Amino acid sequence: MFKLYFHQTPNPMKVALFFEETGLPYELVAVDTLKGEQHTPEYCAINPNAKTPALEDDGKRVFDSTAILMYLSEKTGLLAGQPEDRSEMLSWLLFVASGLGPFSGQSVHFQHKAPEKIPYAINRYLREAQRHYEVLDTHLEGREYMVGDSYSIADISTWGWIDKATFVLGEGGLDNYPNLKRWFASIDSRPAVQKARDIPKGIDFKTDFDDVAARALYPQNFDKNS
């Protein structure tokens, strides 16, 4: 059985949604990143990058949400899109992995989590996040799905971060991106999305962003001896 190491953040939620969409059996292992559980030697043996999600499958490890979605879709043949759309699939998956996700995360960090407000950093990452949203909005004009004519891991991967649009972009969220807003509403209304959202409800994750959480999430910002 697949074992999914999970926290209720955008990247793990993508993989949770894949499992809820497909009905594949899996074991959920909570990793409380605000308590620093991702830094234990046991977890780093599964994901040396000390991030969630990670996956174990019959003695094999897979880490990074994009790698996991690709691995699962290729292994099972589910939500993989059509062979003729392979180049498009790879392009949009990596657009999310290398652009939308990182810039959205940095936009959130400098707006909401950084210990000091740095106007240049806030503007830099917010504007880049907005630019990625504009690319998606243009791409989705006249399209129901991200790639081809069917729902796929490209939609799941994109959904994970667009779900946080208000947090990333601020008040108004998707209002300036009508095609993206329409697409998101369609994906977000799927029954499996609500099932994925319900997963964290039974888990007592830490929610306070205090000094413990800051040190767990951003250990490189602290002196190891402090």
Side-chain angles (χ1 to χ4, degrees):
M1 180 183 292
F2 298 110
K3 184 180 290 188
L4 171 62
Y5 293 84
F6 172 86
H7 188 264
Q8 56 185 354
T9 42
N11 290 323
M13 286 294 291
K14 300 174 188 179
V15 183
L17 179 54
F18 180 93
F19 278 116
E20 295 302 330
E21 287 283 8
T22 60
L24 291 171
Y26 69 101
E27 177 186 350
L28 190 79
V29 181
V31 179
D32 197 329
T33 57
L34 269 66
K35 293 180 180 177
E37 293 176 355
Q38 71 275 30
H39 298 298
T40 65
E42 293 78 12
Y43 184 72
C44 287
I46 301 163
N47 185 349
N49 195 33
K51 305 285 186 181
T52 56
L55 185 79
E56 286 188 301
D57 175 29
D58 193 24
K60 297 186 289 290
R61 69 178 186 183
V62 192
F63 54 91
D64 184 273
S65 61
T66 301
I68 294 170
L69 289 174
M70 292 176 66
Y71 174 82
L72 289 171
S73 67
E74 290 171 4
K75 176 169 182 169
T76 65
L78 300 172
L79 304 179
Q82 299 302 312
E84 60 267 26
D85 294 324
R86 177 69 172 168
S87 61
E88 193 79 359
M89 176 72 73
L90 291 173
S91 297
W92 287 110
L93 286 172
L94 293 180
F95 171 87
V96 173
S98 65
L100 177 67
F103 281 108
S104 295
Q106 294 299 329
S107 180
V108 168
H109 177 78
F110 283 104
Q111 289 184 75
H112 305 292
K113 303 297 184 183
E116 58 182 302
K117 298 294 185 182
I118 305 173
Y120 176 84
I122 292 171
N123 181 72
R124 160 68 176 161
Y125 289 110
L126 175 59
R127 297 305 182 201
E128 269 298 291
Q130 291 171 334
R131 188 183 69 79
H132 281 75
Y133 275 64
E134 290 166 4
V135 171
L136 287 169
D137 192 64
T138 299
H139 172 67
L140 286 165
E141 184 174 0
R143 294 175 180 269
E144 186 175 358
Y145 301 109
M146 281 293 299
V147 174
D149 297 322
S150 62
Y151 180 68
S152 71
I153 57 172
D155 297 289
I156 289 174
S157 185
T158 307
W159 167 86
W161 271 107
I162 300 303
D163 186 46
K164 303 300 182 183
T166 301
F167 205 40
V168 173
L169 302 178
E171 188 176 353
L174 294 174
D175 289 348
N176 292 326
Y177 312 95
N179 300 311
L180 186 56
K181 186 174 184 177
R182 167 191 51 78
W183 167 88
F184 178 75
S186 174
I187 302 302
D188 204 51
S189 65
R190 296 176 68 89
V193 169
Q194 187 56 53
K195 292 179 181 178
R197 291 193 193 284
D198 287 342
I199 290 172
K201 290 183 177 179
I203 305 172
D204 186 23
F205 282 125
K206 178 179 172 64
T207 57
D208 294 336
F209 190 79
D210 53 15
D211 185 65
V212 171
R215 289 173 180 273
L217 292 181
Y218 316 122
Q220 64 274 20
N221 291 349
F222 297 88
D223 188 315
K224 292 182 179 180
N225 297 319
S226 66

